[in-house]
Amino acid sequence: MKLATIRSACRSIRACNPRPGSRFSGIPRGCPPVGTTNSRLTLRTASTAASSGTSPTFTANFGKQHGEDDWSEFNRSVGEVVQNTKEAIATLQRRNPGVQPLLVILQAGEDDGVLEINQKIAGKIGVNATQICLAKNCSEDEIVEELLKLNDDPGVHGVFLHLPPASLTSRVLSALRPEKDVDGISDLNIGRLVRGDMSKGFVPPMASAVLDLLGKHDAPLKGKSVLLVGGQGPPRLALQCLIERSGMSVQTNHWNSKNLKTQVMQADAVVMLSAGNADILPSWARPEAVIIRCEPALEPDDDIIELSSSSGLGYLTAAYRAQNVVQSCSRWLQEQQYRPWHLHSLKLQPLNPVPTDIEISRAQTPKPVAQLAEEIGLLPEELEAYGRNKAKVRLSLLDRLHSQPDGKYVLVAGITPTPLGEGKSTVTIGLVQALSAHLKLNSFACLRQPSQGPTFGVKGGAAGGGYAQVIPMEEFNLHLTGDIHAITAANNLVAAAIDARMLHEATQSDKALFNRLVPSVNGVRKFSPIQISRLRRLGINKTDPTSLTPQEVSSFVRLDLDPSKITWQRVVDTNDRFLRKITVGQASTEKGQIRETGFDIAVASEIMAILALADSLEDMKSRLARMVVGTSRSGEPVTAEDLGVSGALAVLMKDAIKPTLMQTLEGTPVFVHAGPFANIAHGNSSVLADKLALKLVGRDGYVVTEAGFGADIGMEKFFNIKCRASGLRPNAVVLVATVRALKMHGGGPNVSAGAPLPKEYIDENLSLVAGGCRSNLQKQIQIAHLFGVPVVVALNVFRTDTQAEIDLVCRLAKECGASDAVPCQHWSQGGRGSVELARAVEEAARRPTNFHFLYDTEMPILEKIRTIAQRVYGAEDIELSPEARSKIDYYNQQGYGALPICMAKTHLSLSHMPDRKGAPTGFVLPIRDVRASIGAGFIYPLVGAMSTMPGLPTRPCFYDIDLDPVTEEITGLF
């Protein structure tokens, strides 16, 4: 059984960058020395010692019975190491004022002698030393468990395993992180030493001490012979290697060897390891031989406090150990700095004709995600692997790189699309492949996580396409790391809490409700923290449940939700049209609490929008608490915190807030995180993914993120909502266009998903292309310019496009105000097909921007809606329904009037009419309702009928999706 004993160090610990979790952050100052024993090294030389009775040489055992001249070498050695280490730590602390290196001694039993000697030396240097005492008979599992905790503690810089040899098993040594193995005994550190690569390893302190004394011997020992007697394992191997590297020859022998006497007589120096009671007879050694004995220590000399007094090899070993701790701390600090990328690109060999997306994805072997993470400067502790190909990245990265300048920020948007989509994701991926794999510039793609609704419905996946994909595309499109499932669980927990609370309030008295909400546990009744928060919002500043008046009890226990004004719905990540309206509470156990409600698709949940806009775990928790789920009968908003559920929601979402790291077909990094609907929400990936990526790419790197639907929807919301929430400012916009969509906006026939394209879209038609350029393309460029950001038009080239059409689009795009317009062939060629686009983006991002928001949030809600309708959509005015006016008045009354606007309208037209293509004008935009996502932080007006639960078509994608039960390979995904 483990003893929960932690011996205090002589100084308190202060972390360089405040980081949670160090168990030693509260060590008190000025702890007195404790303990009695330590391992010790004894030096003997031949010139002074016949009288010692052991060997015909001088014997030094901590100096009490010998002359000061004989001990001066010890004192000088210890003093030199201490002084050099003090200078190193002073330099370290000048650059990092709060840093305090810490050595932890992990030992079996409560012998404090080791701690005392290490503390005395550490105290002279300015290093903290502490110990953890396990039971004398502690098991291997207990040791490994403690080591894993020390590995993860950022405040611990060195670990000394003071354990019996039998406890230093291969498993124990492998468990200790090599960068904290300051005694240099792990397999990796011994291997580094043998190889001569000490850039990351440590020289064992005992070996350093022995070498130090051998080097200070009166007669130079270079070229002489050294005999190592006894010992085994890493210490002897390290010592042998270092002695040989110093120019001496080494022989080894055991204490029971028959030729030991002969070897001793021939040696210029003898080092005795693990001698125990064994010794070397006086007659064996040569007159000037150096004999160094590593033996169990006598009691520490309490007089050995000042280094000017007699000292010994035990203290010299401790000094070298402290030096290693400081070196470890220095390396740790260096690791915390920004790391240049060493990205290894994956080679592509594009085929013609281009295979299916899943065939292309499966033909490329992705790098292990741990390798990718290392290449882009992530630390191992910042990664949480989900299998071989994807990993969560911890938000602590933002603290580590807080002073690192951000890279360039590029948004990919598009013209108003056809129902088939125009390839924004494909352009995004092709662009970063070109930037990183071909132009050798650091770049990151930040994409939304796709919903399984479209994946199994009609649109298919969202991993890109052709030779511009995120891989493995099956993992990208299906489940990923479970974020959407976490959102589903959290959302439906709120829904369950709403109905359960309404039932209990309808069937219980105030007193019964209070007794159940604030139960007596072991005779004590107290409020939970979330209940205290509700009391504060009610204006009740009491913490004793027994002190509430009957009226206060009633106010506290009754949310009094109006069933007709509950805005929260359940969600599922499937296109299921028959869940759009349902009735709940029909079982007899629900006692007549029947009401109509419905399901949304999971990505339409407000929790998804919160995930995408939160900039920290604390911010997400606060936003979850503010979510309004309905209104009371008295007209007051009821929040998730009122329900008492917001803390549980944060628990369900604690892993989902971390972005997922994946890679493209060419091995460049991608963050996949969040996927809010682009109609009722803002349709962008997460703020946190963008912020992490901007730090990782460095000042000269590029982060390319994508906005959903056309620029009038996704881009406008990116600027007015996402950039407000994040504080980030874009450097350039890439506007994706296709000849197909431009022909549609130029007057071409309707395009329908699942139907063959009319011949106008297959044959060359320059007039239709020109019409689309001068209408929709020009308008979308103008929308970007409203925000002061330069635009590069990326023409996503299809096989049916002619060169004349391509040239016409590029020419007219520049005439319409684009800084450049380039054709892109990434679908068929990968990053190589988007190099020209990458160069154009690089040039545009260098230009100074004059970014500004479209409106001030302090404007009235009505005026903010009108501004978007007129300046972005081209409407003449807006028309509000009576219900919309009433909602606006209510939101103003509740103090929500300063929130930004998130318009919910069709993505198929700049107007509210899907059939009006091009750039319609003169229309009045009807606002039928206005709703609010208070937790996410925006008001969303509804323009026309907006469905938040898609339905399945006659022939969904799932007809083609299958699994080979032998190979487990998936087919049919696209």
Side-chain angles (χ1 to χ4, degrees):
M1 182 176 177
K2 179 166 52 177
L3 296 176
T5 305
I6 298 180
R7 299 295 181 187
S8 298
C10 290
R11 289 182 174 77
S12 65
I13 300 173
R14 297 182 300 276
C16 169
N17 295 312
R19 299 175 67 152
S22 177
R23 293 176 293 159
F24 309 100
S25 58
I27 294 174
R29 288 182 179 272
C31 299
V34 291
T36 55
T37 62
N38 183 35
S39 63
R40 186 164 297 174
L41 299 169
T42 303
L43 176 70
R44 303 202 264 263
T45 61
S47 58
T48 57
S51 61
S52 70
T54 55
S55 101
T57 58
F58 156 80
T59 301
N61 188 12
F62 285 74
K64 282 196 171 182
Q65 71 272 40
H66 306 288
E68 289 297 323
D69 289 344
D70 299 326
W71 286 103
S72 60
E73 292 298 336
F74 285 105
N75 290 326
R76 278 199 296 272
S77 294
V78 175
E80 287 172 5
V81 177
V82 167
Q83 185 58 37
N84 290 339
T85 309
K86 282 179 70 173
E87 292 172 2
I89 200 170
T91 301
L92 210 62
Q93 290 174 334
R94 278 196 298 272
R95 297 173 183 167
N96 306 274
V99 71
Q100 190 67 52
L102 172 65
L103 168 69
V104 174
I105 301 165
L106 182 62
Q107 66 182 52
E110 295 195 64
D111 172 8
D112 297 322
V114 172
L115 176 66
E116 180 182 352
I117 288 178
N118 280 277
Q119 279 185 339
K120 286 178 180 178
I121 293 297
K124 292 293 179 183
I125 293 171
V127 171
N128 288 327
T130 189
Q131 71 181 163
I132 297 176
C133 299
L134 304 180
K136 271 194 173 182
N137 59 344
C138 59
S139 68
E140 183 182 65
D141 288 342
E142 290 174 319
I143 296 171
V144 169
E145 179 185 354
E146 202 63 50
L147 284 176
L148 294 178
K149 294 176 184 176
L150 295 171
N151 286 345
D152 292 337
D153 192 332
V156 174
H157 304 103
V159 178
F160 169 31
L161 298 179
H162 183 50
L163 300 169
S167 296
L168 295 174
T169 63
S170 177
R171 182 182 170 213
V172 166
L173 294 178
S174 298
L176 176 59
R177 286 180 61 175
E179 53 266 38
K180 295 190 178 186
D181 170 31
V182 290
D183 268 52
I185 59 173
S186 66
D187 292 347
L188 182 57
N189 279 333
I190 288 294
R192 287 167 172 163
L193 186 145
V194 171
R195 195 176 59 202
D197 176 15
M198 298 309 296
S199 60
K200 294 183 179 179
F202 298 99
V203 176
M206 184 198 74
S208 294
V210 170
L211 229 66
D212 190 321
L213 290 177
L214 289 175
K216 287 182 168 63
H217 185 53
D218 292 339
L221 290 176
K222 188 172 183 180
K224 302 297 181 66
S225 64
V226 178
L227 175 65
L228 304 182
V229 184
Q232 60 183 347
R236 188 172 79 169
L237 178 60
L239 191 54
Q240 178 180 348
C241 179
L242 290 170
I243 290 172
E244 288 176 343
R245 199 165 291 151
S246 298
M248 295 173 262
S249 62
V250 179
Q251 289 185 312
T252 60
N253 212 328
H254 298 288
W255 285 104
N256 57 0
S257 173
K258 294 180 180 180
N259 64 344
L260 176 60
K261 176 180 177 180
T262 303
Q263 286 189 313
V264 170
M265 295 179 69
Q266 294 172 349
D268 298 297
V270 180
V271 179
M272 295 182 285
L273 306 169
S274 305
N277 294 324
D279 210 338
I280 292 175
L281 295 176
S283 58
W284 289 8
R286 294 168 56 183
E288 294 299 324
V290 176
I291 301 176
I292 300 176
R293 179 186 177 96
C294 304
E295 62 182 6
L298 303 174
E299 293 189 1
D301 184 352
D302 289 337
D303 293 332
I304 304 173
I305 302 296
E306 298 298 330
L307 292 176
S308 58
S309 62
S310 299
S311 200
L313 280 182
Y315 285 85
L316 185 56
T317 301
Y320 276 111
R321 183 175 294 117
Q323 186 178 73
N324 284 353
V325 172
V326 174
Q327 187 179 33
S328 172
C329 180
S330 177
R331 289 173 181 170
W332 178 81
L333 288 169
Q334 186 61 38
E335 280 188 345
Q336 305 310 301
Q337 305 305 309
Y338 177 78
R339 293 178 167 191
W341 285 24
H342 301 285
L343 190 68
H344 168 67
S345 300
L346 300 178
K347 301 301 181 185
L348 277 184
Q349 294 180 329
L351 301 177
N352 191 11
V354 176
T356 65
D357 291 349
I358 198 165
E359 288 172 336
I360 293 171
S361 173
R362 195 167 288 144
Q364 183 70 288
T365 302
K367 294 177 287 190
V369 71
Q371 176 188 334
L372 173 65
E374 183 179 5
E375 290 175 356
I376 62 174
L378 284 165
L379 303 180
E381 58 266 29
E382 292 167 341
L383 210 65
E384 296 176 3
Y386 281 63
R388 180 185 183 275
N389 301 314
K390 56 188 183 292
K392 289 284 192 181
V393 174
R394 293 180 178 174
L395 305 187
S396 58
L397 171 68
L398 288 175
D399 295 327
R400 177 169 70 87
L401 298 181
H402 71 278
S403 60
Q404 170 67 21
D406 288 346
K408 300 290 193 300
Y409 197 26
V410 178
L411 174 70
V412 174
I415 65 171
T416 303
T418 68
L420 306 178
E422 309 317 308
K424 293 191 305 296
S425 297
T426 310
V427 170
T428 300
I429 296 163
L431 175 56
V432 294
Q433 288 181 178
L435 285 166
S436 289
H438 298 271
L439 299 186
K440 306 305 178 185
L441 297 169
N442 295 352
S443 74
F444 234 110
C446 292
L447 301 176
R448 290 176 293 166
Q449 179 183 353
S451 165
Q452 289 181 178
T455 299
F456 291 103
V458 65
K459 180 177 177 292
Y467 288 100
Q469 291 189 56
V470 179
I471 56 171
M473 67 96 77
E474 306 100 302
E475 295 183 26
F476 178 91
N477 287 312
L478 302 174
H479 305 297
L480 198 63
T481 48
D483 294 356
I484 293 180
H485 301 313
I487 288 165
T488 301
N491 185 99
N492 293 344
L493 179 61
V494 176
I498 291 169
D499 287 314
R501 186 61 175 263
M502 291 172 64
L503 168 68
H504 295 313
E505 288 188 23
T507 57
Q508 298 181 46
S509 66
D510 289 353
K511 182 178 179 181
L513 277 171
F514 189 72
N515 287 339
R516 287 180 171 88
L517 288 171
V518 194
S520 176
V521 180
N522 297 324
V524 178
R525 177 176 288 180
K526 62 180 183 178
F527 294 116
S528 67
I530 201 166
Q531 290 175 327
I532 294 288
S533 296
R534 171 159 170 76
L535 288 168
R536 295 288 181 268
R537 288 194 305 280
L538 292 171
I540 303 172
N541 295 313
K542 297 179 181 179
T543 57
D544 182 1
T546 62
S547 66
L548 268 62
T549 67
Q551 180 58 44
E552 289 171 339
V553 168
S554 181
S555 298
F556 171 72
V557 300
R558 295 204 175 273
L559 302 180
D560 199 25
L561 274 160
D562 184 340
S564 67
K565 294 184 179 179
I566 292 172
T567 56
W568 197 265
Q569 301 208 118
R570 289 166 173 83
V571 299
V572 64
D573 196 33
T574 304
N575 290 1
D576 192 343
R577 66 175 67 244
F578 282 87
L579 292 178
R580 290 170 179 168
K581 180 173 283 191
I582 62 169
T583 303
V584 296
Q586 296 190 78
S588 59
T589 52
E590 274 48 77
K591 303 178 182 179
Q593 298 299 307
I594 298 173
R595 70 181 182 92
E596 283 192 349
T597 180
F599 272 76
D600 297 329
I601 195 163
V603 293
S605 170
E606 183 177 354
I607 296 176
M608 175 62 91
I610 287 173
L611 177 67
L613 290 171
D615 65 5
S616 66
L617 188 57
E618 182 179 0
D619 182 38
M620 181 181 73
K621 184 177 177 182
S622 175
R623 288 173 180 266
L624 290 170
R626 295 198 302 269
M627 292 188 305
V628 173
V629 301
T631 306
S632 70
R633 286 184 173 89
S634 61
E636 293 300 313
V638 177
T639 67
E641 190 171 40
D642 289 324
L643 283 168
V645 75
S646 56
L649 301 182
V651 170
L652 287 171
M653 294 294 294
K654 71 179 180 65
D655 292 319
I657 198 172
K658 304 165 191 170
T660 299
L661 177 66
M662 295 188 76
Q663 63 193 284
T664 68
L665 278 166
E666 297 192 56
T668 67
V670 178
F671 272 141
V672 186
H673 200 214
F677 250 27
N679 46 23
I680 69 164
H682 61 290
N684 286 267
S685 62
S686 77
V687 164
L688 281 168
D690 291 357
K691 286 191 170 185
L692 290 170
L694 285 164
K695 294 299 182 187
L696 284 169
V697 297
R699 185 195 304 272
D700 299 321
Y702 294 82
V703 171
V704 183
T705 189
E706 175 199 348
F709 295 152
D712 56 306
I713 298 180
M715 183 181 70
E716 181 271 316
K717 295 174 182 179
F718 172 84
F719 290 144
N720 281 323
I721 297 175
K722 185 176 180 180
C723 288
R724 282 187 206 270
S726 68
L728 301 174
R729 300 294 180 263
N731 298 96
V733 166
V734 173
L735 191 66
V736 178
T738 62
V739 168
R740 177 179 68 194
L742 290 170
K743 286 180 176 179
M744 180 187 71
H745 291 296
N750 285 338
V751 176
S752 300
L757 281 173
K759 64 181 182 63
E760 288 86 349
Y761 295 98
I762 299 171
D763 299 335
E764 182 177 285
N765 192 319
L766 297 179
S767 64
L768 288 180
V769 172
C773 287
R774 294 193 175 100
S775 58
N776 195 269
L777 178 61
Q778 180 172 338
K779 177 61 176 176
Q780 302 286 16
I781 293 171
Q782 290 170 352
I783 293 171
H785 288 165
L786 288 175
F787 297 90
V789 183
V791 177
V792 174
V793 170
L795 180 62
N796 191 14
V797 175
F798 291 3
R799 284 176 292 187
T800 54
D801 299 346
T802 68
Q803 190 60 48
E805 290 172 331
I806 292 170
D807 292 342
L808 179 62
V809 172
C810 292
R811 178 174 63 80
L812 292 180
K814 286 184 271 191
E815 290 179 7
C816 290
S819 61
D820 205 346
V822 293
C824 304
Q825 306 277 357
H826 45 269
W827 183 81
S828 59
Q829 299 177 15
R832 182 166 56 87
S834 284
V835 168
E836 189 179 352
L837 173 63
R839 291 197 174 105
V841 168
E842 187 181 7
E843 176 62 30
R846 288 198 192 104
R847 299 182 180 181
T849 61
N850 182 30
F851 177 79
H852 48 270
F853 297 115
L854 186 65
Y855 54 80
D856 189 326
T857 54
E858 296 302 320
M859 289 170 58
I861 293 175
L862 185 64
E863 290 308 311
K864 286 183 283 194
I865 297 172
R866 180 175 283 116
T867 298
I868 295 172
Q870 292 177 335
R871 301 191 66 190
V872 176
Y873 305 152
E876 184 175 320
D877 203 353
I878 61 174
E879 181 180 31
L880 271 67
S881 70
E883 183 179 5
R885 288 190 181 276
S886 175
K887 290 283 189 69
I888 289 175
D889 291 341
Y890 174 74
Y891 295 142
N892 285 329
Q893 177 189 342
Q894 294 298 327
Y896 304 147
L899 293 176
I901 302 299
C902 183
M903 299 291 284
K905 79 168 188 69
T906 179
H907 63 288
L908 296 174
S909 172
L910 282 162
S911 73
H912 59 289
M913 299 165 282
D915 293 336
R916 292 283 299 274
K917 306 301 181 182
T921 59
F923 60 93
V924 176
L925 193 74
I927 309 297
R928 69 173 181 86
D929 195 5
V930 179
R931 297 177 186 172
S933 291
I934 304 304
F938 52 73
I939 304 289
Y940 63 98
L942 299 179
V943 181
M946 296 301 304
S947 174
T948 55
M949 171 55 81
L952 290 172
T954 304
R955 192 186 191 283
C957 297
F958 60 64
Y959 274 84
D960 301 310
I961 298 173
D962 203 355
L963 178 73
D964 186 319
V966 177
T967 64
E968 297 186 9
E969 286 190 346
I970 297 170
T971 58
L973 276 178
F974 67 95

